[in-house]
Amino acid sequence: MRDAHELPRRALLQMVVGAIAISTTSLFVKVAHVGPTVSGFYRMGFGGLMLLAGLVALRQWRRPRLAEVGWLLVPGAAFAVDLVMWHRSILYVGPGLATLLGNFQVFLMALAGWLLYRERLGWYFLAGIALAFVGLYLLVGLDWSAVGARYRLGVVLGTITGVAYAIYMLSTRHAQRAGHVKLAPAQLLCVSSLVSAAVLGSVAAIEGESFAIPDAQSWSALLGLAFFGQVFGWVLLTRAMPQLPASTIGLLLLLQPALSFVFDVLLFARPTHTLDWIGVALSLLGIFIGSYRPTARAAVVPSLAEP
């Protein structure tokens, strides 16, 4: 007989491994020798095809209705905008800060829940947003006038990333809750990925970016970006989330921005000082508190991670 604690322990391990996997996405973008929009195109294109192949092999694919694809156009486009902004922010301010900024969408999701779904905002939201913005000020505000225009633009783009991701989450939830889309999570992610790839490919063509993958490092980075960021990581997270408390999910998903920042320091020699680490800690704590919901509304929590 299966031990009663086996599934929670397995789910905990899946959450940790999944969070670690998605924390590497910004690193792959950094080392791929292609433009930021093109890297997003290959992430979504390769990832969508990997998911499609897996679903077909497991006989879990069903042909989506045209109406379902139509309802996924808005989230697909929003996700494309998210990647366009985020990938540029990664190149301008580094993987760590760009990922941290993208996770500020937690507060936009909470505000949207209050405005659209009459969800109550409690002390945790106010405390979380206060801590997060104090932490962000310690990270970038103290030296704002001293940093270059490119760095400041990266901060702005990282913030827009959070807005675009919040729109993606809200539009996806609406399509599911209203019954417009009845696809299983893995198939929904597959279809949404391919829609985003089509949008990103169109944007890259308009920008005049080359789709050529110039070297083996770029091939490895883009395939890794697709597999770890779009397939492996999110499949594990999707399986684990229903089996764990909302507070545990929120805490473990903070591994993504935390590890992205640590990787940025270790691998790309990001200059840091004591106040930077205090800022990171306060921002992460604020995001965690701001994302907390009672168990009955735990469905909002999975939006914590940057895709």
Side-chain angles (χ1 to χ4, degrees):
M1 181 178 296
R2 180 174 290 177
D3 184 83
H5 298 289
E6 180 182 350
L7 283 179
R9 285 201 301 267
R10 181 180 298 174
L12 190 65
L13 179 60
Q14 288 175 335
M15 278 295 302
V16 171
V17 175
I20 293 172
I22 64 174
S23 72
T24 64
T25 54
S26 56
L27 307 180
F28 289 124
V29 173
K30 181 82 172 179
V31 301
H33 301 146
V34 297
T37 305
V38 171
S39 63
F41 166 74
Y42 282 119
R43 167 184 172 167
M44 304 308 289
F46 287 161
L49 292 175
M50 290 176 188
L51 284 165
L52 177 60
L55 289 167
V56 170
L58 295 172
R59 298 183 180 180
Q60 295 179 359
W61 172 262
R62 77 162 175 84
R63 185 176 179 180
R65 293 179 288 109
L66 185 60
E68 289 178 313
V69 177
W71 277 101
L72 291 176
L73 290 178
V74 171
F79 203 60
V81 173
D82 171 293
L83 292 184
V84 168
M85 299 295 117
W86 186 44
H87 287 188
R88 281 169 170 76
S89 181
I90 289 169
L91 298 179
Y92 296 167
V93 302
L97 181 56
T99 305
L100 186 64
L101 288 167
N103 276 275
F104 270 60
Q105 52 78 29
V106 159
F107 303 112
L108 297 176
M109 289 291 293
L111 285 172
W114 174 60
L115 291 171
L116 301 177
Y117 303 110
R118 301 182 182 276
E119 295 175 355
R120 185 171 57 87
L121 294 179
W123 66 267
Y124 50 81
F125 175 80
L126 298 176
I129 199 169
L131 283 171
F133 277 98
V134 168
L136 185 61
Y137 177 75
L138 293 178
L139 273 170
V140 299
L142 292 176
D143 298 322
W144 185 253
S145 59
V147 297
R150 179 182 170 94
Y151 192 93
R152 290 196 293 269
L153 177 60
V155 172
V156 172
L157 294 179
T159 304
I160 297 174
T161 296
V163 176
Y165 189 55
I167 294 172
Y168 163 74
M169 288 297 302
L170 290 169
S171 56
T172 300
R173 288 177 66 207
H174 174 73
Q176 290 177 301
R177 286 185 171 187
H180 301 302
V181 176
K182 298 181 180 180
L183 301 174
Q187 186 170 358
L188 188 151
L189 181 60
C190 173
V191 174
S192 182
S193 297
L194 294 175
V195 170
S196 291
V199 174
L200 287 162
S202 301
V203 172
I206 293 171
E207 292 175 341
E209 287 194 31
S210 171
F211 288 89
I213 302 177
D215 49 45
Q217 175 177 312
S218 298
W219 272 103
S220 299
L222 294 173
L223 289 171
L225 177 63
F227 178 73
F228 289 104
Q230 204 62 24
V231 181
F232 178 70
W234 275 106
V235 166
L236 288 178
L237 293 175
T238 302
R239 288 181 177 178
M241 283 175 180
Q243 304 177 56
L244 295 172
S247 57
T248 302
I249 293 170
L251 184 61
L252 292 177
L253 281 177
L254 285 180
L255 282 171
Q256 188 217 3
L259 287 176
S260 292
F261 196 90
V262 171
F263 290 151
D264 195 5
V265 173
L266 295 179
L267 300 179
F268 302 110
R270 174 189 172 88
T272 55
H273 307 285
T274 302
L275 282 180
D276 294 320
W277 290 109
I278 295 174
V280 171
L282 288 177
S283 295
L284 293 173
L285 179 60
I287 290 171
F288 172 66
I289 293 174
S291 68
Y292 177 75
R293 298 290 180 279
T295 303
R297 284 174 282 165
V300 179
V301 178
S303 68
L304 181 66
E306 175 63 35

